[in-house]
Amino acid sequence: MIRLDLRFKTRRVAVFLFVVLCLAPFCPGQAPLAEVYNLRYYTHPNFTRIVVDVGTLREYFSAELRDPQRIYIDIYQAKLNPILREEAIPVRCDYISLVRISQKNPSTVRVVAEVDLAKVVRYQVFHVLDPFRVVIDIYPRPGTPTAAAGKPPQPAQPAKSGYSMARQLGLGIKTIVIDPGHGGSDPGCLDSFGQQEKDTALDISLRLKELLKASSELAVILIRETDIHVPLENRTVIANQNKADIFISVHVNAFRKKDRRGVETFYLNFSPDPGVNELAARENATTTKTIGEMDKIIKKIVQNSKIIESKELAQKIQENLVKCLSRNYTEIKDLGTKGGPFWVLIGSEMPSVLVEVSHLSNAQEAQRLKSGAYRQQIAQGIHEGIMAYIQSLGKG
Ligand SMILES: [Zn+2]
C-alpha cells in the first residue's frame, strides 16, 4: 500500500498541474459552467472503467480517502445537467460497491467511487477530449472476483493471466474486431478533394470483413458499419465485451510534409518520436501537450498490456500489407512498426494494433485511395497479415 500511496500522490500533483497549465491560456476569467451529462461504467474481467461525460474541457482534481475508502474526482466550473440527477449507481463487482455523482457546491461536481482499496492494486485517472470526459480505471488485485453473483452488467468470466495453451497454439482465435477509424462528426483527415479518412477506413474495413468471412470461420465484428460517431474509449470496450482475440483499428495517415508516403502499423506504447506523437495527437483528437501527459499513464499501462503479442501482430500485418500492395503498385514505402500512445488501443485485453494504410496528404496515395482496387488490395494485405499471425501462433 505504501507504493500505492506514492503513486497516488504523484498522480494527484500531475493531474492538477497538467490541467491548470492546459487551461491557463484559455481561461483568463471564470469559465461558464460545463454540464456533466452522463455517468457510466463498464466492468471487465481485469478492471472497471468509470466515465464521466463533461463535454467541455474543465479543470479537475482526483484523490483517495481512507475513511470510508473511496476515490473521488472534483470537476470544477461544472454543474449537473438536469437529465442527470444526483444519484448512486450500484457497481456489481467485488471491489467497488457504488459510484455516485453530486453537485458538491454551485460550481463543482463530485464523482465518488466507493472502493475496497485492499482489493485494488492500482487505479488511474485521465481524460479524453472531443468531447471531454474524465475516466477512472480501477484494477483489482489478481483473484478478486470482478462480477458479484446476481446480475453482472457484463458477462462474468475468470480473470485472464495470459494466454491459454489453446490460444497460444492459435486454436483459440475466434473473434476479430475491426475498428474503422473516426466516423460521424469526426471525419479524421481529409485530402484536398474532400476525400475523408472516416469513409476510406470504413470501406477498407468492410472489405476486410468480407475477406475474413469468406476465408475462415472467424467471427468478425465491426465497431461501426455506417457513418456514426463511436467514442474512442468505447471501442476497446466493445472488443472486450465480445471477448475478441484480435483488435485492428484502420486509419489513413496525413502529414504536413506532402512527400511523406507509405504504410505503418502501431501498437500501444509511449514514444520518444515527435512524429509519432504528432500523429497520435491527431488520432486522439488531442494536442501534443496532452500526449506528454499520456506518456506517464501509458508507461504504467504497457506493463499490463499484451505488448509482445501486439507487436507481433503489428509486424505480420505490416509485412503482409507492404508485400501485398507491392504486387500491384510501385513505390510502396515500408515505414515499419512502432509503439505509439493511441487512446483507441488503451484498455484492450487482446493483441491490438492501429494500421495507417497510406497518406491522404500525399497526392499519389490520395489518388490511389480513391480506387476500389487499391482499397481492396489494402484489405487483402491486412487479411493476409491476420492469417500469418494466426498461423505463427500454431507454430509457437
Ligand atoms: Zn485516423
Side-chain angles (χ1 to χ4, degrees):
M1 268 307 172
I2 292 168
R3 218 171 126 221
L4 202 65
D5 282 336
L6 286 171
R7 275 205 304 232
F8 288 177
K9 272 182 193 161
T10 311
R11 181 186 310 106
R12 197 180 306 177
V13 172
V15 167
F16 185 72
L17 280 179
F18 163 69
V19 177
V20 168
L21 286 170
C22 184
L23 287 173
F26 306 110
C27 307
Q30 205 166 60
L33 298 181
E35 292 202 353
V36 178
Y37 60 92
N38 200 11
L39 173 68
R40 50 206 164 97
Y41 78 93
Y42 315 91
T43 300
H44 303 290
N46 297 343
F47 72 106
T48 293
R49 172 167 292 177
I50 298 163
V51 182
V52 191
D53 291 292
V54 186
T56 309
L57 181 62
R58 285 292 175 268
E59 186 179 333
Y60 62 92
F61 176 84
S62 69
E64 62 172 296
L65 294 172
R66 295 271 162 180
D67 190 20
Q69 295 185 5
R70 55 194 188 266
I71 299 164
Y72 73 87
I73 305 173
D74 280 345
I75 300 163
Y76 303 119
Q77 288 304 112
K79 64 176 181 183
L80 288 180
N81 184 291
I83 59 168
L84 187 68
R85 276 194 284 273
E86 297 201 357
E87 59 184 325
I89 307 170
V91 178
R92 297 183 185 277
C93 74
D94 198 50
Y95 52 99
I96 308 170
S97 51
L98 59 83
V99 182
R100 51 191 160 82
I101 190 163
S102 62
Q103 190 77 46
K104 186 192 166 200
N105 64 43
S107 63
T108 305
V109 168
R110 173 167 284 192
V111 176
V112 177
E114 295 191 1
V115 175
D116 183 346
L117 290 168
K119 291 179 179 167
V120 168
V121 68
R122 65 192 172 91
Y123 71 83
Q124 59 203 7
V125 179
F126 57 92
H127 63 269
V128 188
L129 299 179
D130 193 29
F132 179 68
R133 57 259 193 215
V134 184
V135 181
I136 321 176
D137 281 349
I138 302 174
Y139 294 81
R141 289 191 181 283
T144 304
T146 299
K151 296 181 291 177
Q154 272 95 43
Q157 66 175 54
K160 290 177 191 166
S161 57
Y163 282 115
S164 67
M165 185 56 73
R167 187 176 289 197
Q168 282 178 24
L169 294 173
L171 304 173
I173 303 285
K174 289 183 182 147
T175 306
I176 297 187
V177 167
I178 305 166
D179 170 39
H182 312 276
S185 57
D186 171 15
C189 62
L190 313 168
D191 72 0
S192 45
F193 303 103
Q195 197 173 189
Q196 302 188 72
E197 179 185 359
K198 65 174 182 177
D199 300 327
T200 310
L202 178 58
D203 180 79
I204 292 166
S205 301
L206 288 166
R207 290 169 188 272
L208 175 57
K209 179 182 177 180
E210 288 311 309
L211 287 169
L212 287 164
K213 291 193 82 165
S215 66
S216 70
E217 299 289 305
L218 293 163
V220 184
I221 296 165
L222 254 63
I223 295 291
R224 63 181 183 95
E225 299 214 2
T226 55
D227 185 17
I228 55 165
H229 175 73
V230 182
L232 286 180
E233 79 274 8
N234 286 15
R235 299 186 183 222
T236 44
V237 164
I238 293 168
N240 291 347
Q241 282 173 342
N242 285 284
K243 299 179 186 172
D245 300 296
I246 291 176
F247 178 87
I248 295 167
S249 194
V250 178
H251 289 254
V252 187
N253 221 330
F255 261 77
R256 277 171 296 180
K257 281 182 70 184
K258 306 288 179 213
D259 59 343
R260 191 181 196 273
R261 58 186 298 138
V263 176
E264 54 193 335
T265 308
F266 295 88
Y267 50 91
L268 180 66
N269 208 339
F270 53 91
S271 172
D273 181 341
V276 170
N277 287 335
E278 187 183 326
L279 171 64
R282 187 169 53 70
E283 296 295 14
N284 296 340
T286 57
T287 62
T288 45
K289 197 192 281 180
T290 316
I291 292 290
E293 182 64 21
M294 273 182 72
D295 271 3
K296 294 173 203 156
I297 297 166
I298 285 171
K299 274 175 189 160
K300 291 172 195 160
I301 291 173
V302 291
Q303 294 163 8
N304 304 283
S305 296
K306 307 223 171 297
I307 191 163
I308 295 167
E309 294 92 335
S310 297
K311 206 170 168 179
E312 283 170 10
L313 175 61
Q315 282 164 351
K316 292 291 180 203
I317 287 177
Q318 177 69 17
E319 188 185 309
N320 283 277
L321 182 49
V322 169
K323 198 163 67 184
C324 196
L325 284 174
S326 301
R327 279 184 213 138
N328 295 359
Y329 298 89
T330 57
E331 296 179 79
I332 299 299
K333 190 166 182 192
D334 183 355
L335 296 170
T337 56
K338 297 159 197 168
F342 294 92
W343 278 129
V344 75
L345 302 178
I346 289 181
S348 67
E349 294 171 2
M350 70 293 303
S352 310
V353 300
L354 183 148
V355 196
E356 296 280 356
V357 297
S358 285
H359 293 67
L360 274 175
S361 49
N362 178 276
Q364 189 190 38
E365 291 193 345
Q367 189 64 34
R368 285 177 171 177
L369 283 164
K370 280 189 192 169
S371 135
Y374 187 69
R375 297 194 301 268
Q376 183 69 22
Q377 200 71 2
I378 289 171
Q380 181 66 32
I382 300 173
H383 170 251
E384 288 179 17
I386 292 168
M387 290 307 165
Y389 173 73
I390 293 174
Q391 279 164 19
S392 74
L393 295 178
K395 287 174 195 155

